[in-house]
Amino acid sequence: MSDPHRHHHHDEHPGHDPHSPAGRRRRVGHRLAHRLTPHSHESADKLDSALESSARGLRALWVSLAVLGATALAQAAVVLLSGSVALLGDTVHNTADALTAVPLGVAFLLGRRAATRRFTYGYGRAEDLAGVVIVLTITASAVLAAWTAVDRLLDPRPVTHVPAVAVAALVGFAGNEWVARHRIRVGREIGSAALVADGLHARTDGYTSLAVLLGAGGAALGRQLADPVVGLAITAAIVLVLRDAAREVFRRLMDAVDPALVDRAEHVLGEVPGVRGVGELRLRWIGHRLRAEVALVVDGEATVREAHRIAVAAEHALLHAVPRLTAALVHADPAPSRGEADPHLAIAHHASA
């Protein structure tokens, strides 16, 4: 019984002649109600919720872009005055972090487009592609910061305007920490792993901004090598962020989900009246929305309508129990009886191929 909601039928009222004028009016009314009334996984409230989550993600991105852009501009001005390579590395990283809002914003916009006959699951996967762009951006910033620090180690130069460097480092920390909190909060509320990961990235950038203070302190004490050494330390921090971001993106691309969600879904399905067992259960993220596919075991003597009712109840339970789940494909299998051949034998060789 594949995706029973899409073929939901309504019973005729018993005791009425379906060929009478009143019966014909009822049939027409039922057909109109079926077409105009949204089903549980295609409901207007879920569509509105999905659109609103994308809109909130976009607002968070543009706000963070403005804050980080202003932070990077302020730091860049101090870099030109002081020649601090540690602050340069931090400025470059903050600029790259600000620009990651662009691919994520495009992804959120694409994710709001309706599914087509070519992209039947919609465009939510654009968030995963944006995650790849973010990883590449972080990689580029790490390479640039490392190259600049090594160049300054080989050719030491004095750092001037040390107090301004210290102030710029504090500005970088404040801007990144505010952006981090905003992105993480919104990302968790809408279920966007990419936005949460980008927020954690911003938080790490804030801590590297504080590290610049060490370079400024070393320069104030006459230690010229302190600045490029801190630049290398910032490069190492960027590499750690790169590792975490790459892992998150890789897991999304491989359809990884939190096993706790699978456990919760299995538990909820097992408590649905009429469900005798839970077979194959799969969850996958498409952007910041979850989809589920599940095979249930029901009474082999149940009618099609009864099996359909159980499938509807199972999907309804899943939609309430699993956060950010927007669709579920429910398949009902009859409980095996003694002497009966497995109905899936005809397709078994396809599954093992």
Side-chain angles (χ1 to χ4, degrees):
M1 186 175 298
S2 180
D3 204 4
H5 284 45
R6 295 190 183 276
H7 307 287
H8 189 94
H9 298 290
H10 299 268
D11 296 331
E12 298 288 348
H13 291 282
H16 295 284
D17 180 7
H19 300 291
S20 65
R24 285 194 295 270
R25 286 195 298 272
R26 267 191 297 273
R27 285 204 313 277
V28 171
H30 285 164
R31 289 171 183 167
L32 286 174
H34 178 73
R35 290 182 179 275
L36 296 178
T37 303
H39 300 333
S40 65
H41 60 296
E42 297 174 326
S43 59
D45 59 337
K46 282 194 172 293
L47 179 61
D48 291 343
S49 176
L51 292 175
E52 174 60 23
S53 66
S54 295
R56 290 191 62 195
L58 282 169
R59 287 196 296 270
L61 286 173
W62 300 140
V63 169
S64 62
L65 175 62
V67 173
L68 287 179
T71 300
L73 285 175
Q75 289 184 314
V78 178
V79 167
L80 293 176
L81 289 173
S82 65
S84 169
V85 68
L87 185 59
L88 173 62
D90 194 42
T91 303
V92 169
H93 200 193
N94 286 334
T95 303
D97 192 24
L99 293 178
T100 57
V102 176
L104 266 179
V106 173
F108 278 126
L109 289 173
L110 282 176
R112 298 169 68 175
R113 296 181 61 181
T116 65
R117 292 184 64 84
R118 181 178 296 275
F119 297 96
T120 55
Y121 281 97
Y123 295 83
R125 285 283 184 157
E127 282 189 41
D128 299 331
L129 296 178
V132 174
V133 173
I134 290 171
V135 169
L136 294 177
T137 303
I138 299 173
T139 302
S141 65
V143 171
L144 180 57
W147 181 85
T148 307
V150 171
D151 178 67
R152 191 58 61 91
L153 277 173
L154 298 176
D155 183 18
R157 302 169 199 171
V159 176
T160 60
H161 302 81
V162 173
V165 172
V167 171
L170 289 174
V171 169
F173 170 74
N176 275 290
E177 180 60 21
W178 188 92
V179 167
R181 294 189 179 195
H182 188 59
R183 285 180 177 176
I184 291 171
R185 179 176 58 82
V186 176
R188 286 176 176 166
E189 289 174 356
I190 70 174
S192 174
L195 190 55
V196 171
D198 216 23
L200 293 172
H201 175 205
R203 173 159 289 164
T204 305
D205 289 350
Y207 294 141
T208 59
S209 293
L210 288 180
V212 175
L213 285 173
L214 297 176
L221 296 175
R223 307 286 185 179
Q224 287 190 2
L225 292 181
D227 184 60
V229 167
V230 172
L232 287 176
I234 290 176
T235 301
I238 296 174
V239 171
L240 292 177
V241 172
L242 174 62
R243 182 198 62 182
D244 294 339
R247 182 171 55 214
E248 286 295 322
V249 171
F250 174 77
R251 287 176 176 174
R252 268 306 166 91
L253 290 174
M254 294 298 292
D255 285 332
V257 296
D258 185 352
L261 290 179
V262 181
D263 294 338
R264 177 187 294 186
E266 287 181 338
H267 176 73
V268 167
L269 290 170
E271 293 185 338
V272 174
V275 174
R276 293 194 173 186
V278 180
E280 187 176 59
L281 172 61
R282 296 181 178 180
L283 296 172
R284 72 188 307 191
W285 286 100
I286 300 179
H288 51 273
R289 304 164 196 170
L290 273 173
R291 291 184 67 94
E293 298 176 8
V294 58
L296 301 177
V297 179
V298 301
D299 184 0
E301 302 302 320
T303 64
V304 173
R305 291 186 183 278
E306 178 63 15
H308 180 229
R309 184 196 64 76
I310 296 171
V312 170
E315 181 177 2
H316 192 199
L318 276 180
L319 291 171
H320 278 286
V322 180
R324 291 172 289 276
L325 181 70
T326 56
L329 179 67
V330 182
H331 176 81
D333 288 326
S337 59
R338 184 175 300 176
E340 182 184 28
D342 185 353
H344 298 105
L345 284 177
I347 60 174
H349 65 286
H350 292 284
S352 61

